[in-house]
Amino acid sequence: MEKLILDGHKLQWHQDRIKAWLAGERVAPITIDCALTRACTYKCVYCYGQLQDNDVKRMTKDVIFRFLDDAAEIGVKAISFVSDGESTCSPHLNDAILRGKSNGLDMALGTNGYLLRDDRLEDILPALTYLRFNISAGERNRYAEIHGCPPDYYDKVIETIRKSVAIKKRHSLSVTLGLQMVLLPEFADQIIPLAKLGRELGVDYLVIKHCSDDEHGSLGVNYAGYHDMVELLKESETYSTDSYQVSVKWSKVLSDGKRCYSRCYGPPLIMQFSGSGLVAPCGMLFNRKYEKYHIGNIAETSFKELWKSDRYWEVINLIASEKFDARTMCGSLCLQHKVNEFLWGLKRCETTLNNQPGAAPMHVNFI
């Protein structure tokens, strides 16, 4: 299996969009992360969603389809159903995946997997670039504790993963199947069991990532504690094989939750929507207390109209200005973090575009 870029970005393969952005043009996002609902079946102990409360609108099938049509029309390349809600709670998930794919969009799904219908896997797996299961424990009882669910949810999810792997192999599908562990220092005992479980299940990868926190430290993430797990995390990566990749997001895990940049440049290229339909630059700003950064709602106004509006670009320009300091005014280690690092360096002439970046990596449109 070609190595996945799981701790970095893929902007070097989107130089036309980067150059247009540098020239001050109003560019469409390359990637949009969004959810189809704010509902969830779990109560994970690390959930950032509890900090993202905002006004919920009705995400109907028509609203979702209009958004996917707009995204394709304006030049968005990839949509991942990953945000502040569990999209399998929406009755429109499967149809949305197929609609996006038929529009020429690369589609992806991140899910806890409990409500993912096994009888629809044959339909949606061929339409997905990747399917990622969010699972932060390799043992049944610890899974229930960490994810705030009954232990038998673990059994269903593991069976769904097995069925997904079997379908991929049977039909020689290109979809990448992965696991994601959101790591807190108190989950150290689950690192190796999960690395072993991923290899046994036959998935393509396990990525071990940090836990984000807001600017007030509301979740109480002990970033210093990650440094005590370096050897354990290195050991987890030794379970990789030719067909299974275990990757730690080292640059974020060992960053102490700090940034090198003060301006937020990433959202024009990789934007995030709430499962409420709210359009805001990123998940860190979904909460209603950040209303000054809210652009609109796709349940009320089409995304194409919002993207063309002055309000959209007022917000984009505000967070890229001296009036906004990403180091103190929003949460840590956000979705746009690696993109922001690169664009910050590019703006300051500390980084350059590579005229010959080489062959495009896997999942190139999920930047």
Side-chain angles (χ1 to χ4, degrees):
M1 185 185 73
E2 183 183 351
K3 187 174 178 64
L4 288 159
I5 297 176
L6 296 171
D7 185 19
H9 65 86
K10 309 181 187 80
L11 285 180
Q12 293 283 10
W13 290 272
H14 297 278
Q15 295 193 17
D16 56 340
R17 202 72 57 102
I18 301 301
K19 290 174 181 176
W21 172 77
L22 286 170
E25 296 181 25
R26 293 185 169 189
V27 297
I30 299 165
T31 308
I32 295 177
D33 271 25
C34 58
L36 300 180
T37 176
R38 289 207 73 243
C40 189
T41 46
Y42 284 23
K43 292 183 179 179
C44 302
V45 299
Y46 54 78
C47 180
Y48 198 94
Q50 63 186 289
L51 307 177
Q52 296 171 302
D53 185 45
N54 62 81
D55 292 332
V56 176
K57 306 298 181 183
R58 190 159 177 255
M59 292 284 282
T60 64
K61 185 175 180 179
D62 287 344
V63 167
I64 295 164
F65 276 23
R66 182 179 66 184
F67 158 64
L68 293 168
D69 295 348
D70 283 351
E73 183 179 336
I74 71 172
V76 176
K77 297 183 179 182
I79 303 288
S80 51
F81 290 137
V82 181
S83 189
D84 59 342
E86 173 54 53
S87 288
T88 57
C89 293
S90 168
H92 311 302
L93 171 65
N94 297 311
D95 290 337
I97 291 170
L98 298 178
R99 177 68 166 231
K101 182 65 174 179
S102 70
N103 284 350
L105 296 163
D106 285 350
M107 301 299 297
L109 172 64
T111 175
N112 59 41
Y114 179 68
L115 290 182
L116 195 60
R117 289 176 50 181
D118 293 352
D119 64 339
R120 294 299 303 273
L121 291 173
E122 295 267 4
D123 299 327
I124 65 171
L125 286 176
L128 291 171
T129 299
Y130 71 81
L131 170 58
R132 188 187 73 213
F133 292 89
N134 301 319
I135 175 171
S136 295
E139 297 172 336
R140 190 175 188 264
N141 289 336
R142 287 288 280 138
Y143 178 93
E145 293 170 2
I146 290 169
H147 290 292
C149 65
D152 60 355
Y153 281 29
Y154 173 87
D155 304 328
K156 190 278 173 185
V157 170
I158 295 302
E159 182 60 22
T160 296
I161 296 171
R162 292 189 190 279
K163 287 179 179 177
S164 299
V165 170
I167 291 169
K168 172 181 174 171
K169 290 180 178 179
R170 183 162 63 247
H171 298 293
S172 300
L173 300 178
S174 61
V175 60
T176 303
L177 301 176
L179 310 180
Q180 176 176 274
M181 179 185 201
V182 177
L183 180 65
L184 287 175
E186 52 266 40
F187 303 166
D189 64 307
Q190 292 304 296
I191 293 173
I192 300 305
L194 192 52
K196 292 178 177 179
L197 177 63
R199 189 164 73 175
E200 186 269 321
L201 290 172
V203 296
D204 298 307
Y205 72 88
L206 163 67
V207 60
I208 302 174
K209 61 165 287 186
H210 64 291
C211 181
S212 293
D213 208 341
D214 70 4
E215 67 269 36
H216 306 297
S218 298
L219 296 179
V221 180
N222 175 19
Y223 288 109
Y226 287 133
H227 294 273
D228 297 329
M229 295 186 287
V230 169
E231 293 306 314
L232 195 58
L233 290 168
K234 286 181 178 178
E235 181 185 348
S236 74
E237 292 188 323
T238 67
Y239 287 88
S240 298
T241 68
D242 291 341
S243 59
Y244 173 57
Q245 177 180 331
V246 180
S247 289
V248 177
K249 287 196 173 186
W250 290 108
S251 71
K252 290 187 175 183
V253 166
L254 299 181
S255 71
D256 295 315
K258 297 177 181 178
R259 295 176 162 100
C260 67
Y261 53 88
S262 59
R263 310 282 180 85
C264 184
Y265 293 133
L269 302 170
I270 176 170
M271 184 161 269
Q272 201 168 13
F273 298 176
S274 170
S276 69
L278 172 69
V279 178
C282 72
M284 302 297 182
L285 301 176
F286 285 168
N287 192 287
R288 65 188 75 221
K289 68 183 179 181
Y290 302 114
E291 190 173 356
K292 67 183 288 186
Y293 304 110
H294 294 175
I295 295 166
N297 194 294
I298 59 172
E300 298 173 331
T301 308
S302 75
F303 176 56
K304 183 169 63 175
E305 290 179 72
L306 290 174
W307 176 72
K308 288 182 176 180
S309 71
D310 290 339
R311 173 62 181 169
Y312 185 101
W313 295 101
E314 285 169 3
V315 173
I316 291 296
N317 292 333
L318 173 60
I319 62 174
S321 75
E322 69 282 352
K323 296 179 181 179
F324 186 86
D325 189 339
R327 294 169 297 190
T328 60
M329 296 174 69
C330 61
S332 62
L333 305 177
C334 61
L335 171 72
Q336 293 89 349
H337 179 67
K338 301 305 293 184
V339 168
N340 271 329
E341 284 184 335
F342 178 76
L343 297 177
W344 175 255
L346 205 58
K347 280 277 195 177
R348 292 160 64 91
C349 299
E350 297 169 353
T351 303
T352 59
L353 289 172
N354 183 349
N355 292 327
Q356 295 181 315
M362 296 179 69
H363 310 174
V364 67
N365 291 328
F366 296 93
I367 61 171

